[in-house]
Amino acid sequence: MGPIERIRREIKFVAKLFRTLMRVRGIDPESDVLICDDFEAAVDKYESHTALIFENERLTYRQLDALANRFAAWGLGQGLKPGDTVALLMPNRAEYVPAWIGMAKIGVATALINNNLTGAALAHSLSISNANHVLTDEESIHTVESIRAGLPRPLAYWLIDGDNEAHQRLDLKEPKLAPERPPKSLRTGLRSKDVALYIYTSGTTGMPKAAKITHVRAQLYMRGFAGATGAKADDTIYCALPLYHATGGLCGVGAALLNGGTVVLRRRFSVTHFWDDIADHGCTMFVYIGELCRYLINAPPHPKERAHRLRLAFGNGLRPDVWGEFQQRFAIDDILEFYGSTEGNVSMFNFDAQPGAIGRVPNYLRKRFTVRLVRFDVESEQPVRGEDGLCIEAEPNEVGEAIGLIGGDARSEFAGYADKAASERKILRNVFEQGDAWFRTGDLMRKDEDGYFYFVDRIGDTFRWKGENVSTTEVGEVIARYPGVAEANVYGVKVDHVDGRAGMAAITPEPHFELGGLRAYLERELPAYARPLFIRIQPALETTGTFKYRKLDLVREGFNPTAIEQALYFDHPTEHAYAPIDPGLYAQIQSGAFRL
């Protein structure tokens, strides 16, 4: 890159960053301006604009506000007051955002329950919400029936549709539910530092945790993306991500609704309907999770995949092996990748669309963004400390854990979880000086000399084999580039009498996948210690509601053919090929017959 081009890049980066910072300027934890006030200001400015399109429904800003006001009227009718919590359990639908905004108007927090949960995880999420009332619908109430008896206290379930005699109905058209705004005096004394929402972590390695989303954090999400995307009142943003998570429910929604734009909401993501929806509604942006993009490039060509008005895709988790093909095949002008966690205080934007980077903090802005990478020991899963007991900052291109300085302002706060013990485990103390406190993201990254950050892996997903650290994400990206691989989920499994964990890959194949060539391909692309020793072929990989691969069950099942129905293969050291694993070969491996 020449000097002129570098200067232009920096000007573009600073301009976009400035636009974003201007939208979050003035956000103060002590302010009495809440997230519902932001929404009402947008309604007053854009009242006749179309705010939301969902299936056959089309709502203006004023109609969306009236729906939120009816939820508020219902809450007041139940005697709810500031400090109380209501649980929201339903799929994406037109009433979802108005429900929690309506609760915010009367000072009540809303716990956004993952509607894909069942059994113990659902019971746990409802229990720790501390809610007495659950707003739900006919689709979701059936998942509750099997766990109601196991809940520590009875809950009142309110259906916004249907006529289920076993539960109370919340009729949003009932005359006594006023469409007028509740008086602001009901929120007197509330501040932006108070909790607006509880958003649950995905629970890929355990029970979900309820992260506190204060009004100020919700404002940072929504105002931040209203600025970062450059959305305008004539923009239409497509959202097929679940609204119970921040990327779709706050970032995607905020980019549209705080700028007078339109949200086209789909109940759930569909590869089949994606391009029809995008083209038919004239969408100019869409919000993604990386795996959503991978599903699209793995799909056969669609007649409308380039016949659209998209100018921007924004989201997180778009991996380098997908980025280029995704942007070129679908003719998407710009991609805005960002990094952030539901509960954390570390956030970054990749305004330059540098493929693979999750964000950028140039050295000249280092003091404005208190994110650092510290050296990390994979074995102990703890940052490395020097002789003085303090942590050591990672060098350029050295992998380390990303941490964020905890402070008192809006951008550096860490509100934590409903579980105080879980909150404390996320805090790293005495890091660069005695008495300081930093939020642990749990993510391993590296940063290059230009300040671009690259995601490496989640802590716990990285495992040690043959004395080396193996990144499951990086190995998975390599396998995904092999012809015929639709998806690859990499993890480490224990082998008897062997130190560390051996690599294993669960692969979902396409019809033209050839296992015979995979081994030679991996020999070319990966060092010996990083090559999966075991391969599992399965029709589909299980993911969370936000398309993150589930690994816990796969790790537990290992490579035992008596516990797994799918085909299993072992990189046989003497045959130099992937050999099918039967009980006899499994016993040999576990007995130490092979030098691994």
Side-chain angles (χ1 to χ4, degrees), residues 39 49-53 59-62 64 256-257 260-264:
F39 173 73
H49 287 212
T50 299
L52 180 71
I53 297 173
L59 300 175
T60 66
Y61 276 76
R62 186 60 70 191
L64 203 67
L257 295 187
T262 302
V263 176
V264 174

Side-chain angles (χ1 to χ4, degrees), residues 83-119:
D84 290 340
T85 301
V86 164
L88 181 59
L89 174 65
M90 62 177 73
N92 287 3
R93 54 183 299 159
E95 297 87 354
Y96 199 100
V97 173
W100 69 256
I101 287 179
M103 292 301 100
K105 287 177 181 243
I106 59 174
V108 172
T110 307
L112 308 184
I113 309 295
N114 181 341
N115 65 294
N116 295 303
L117 295 180
T118 58

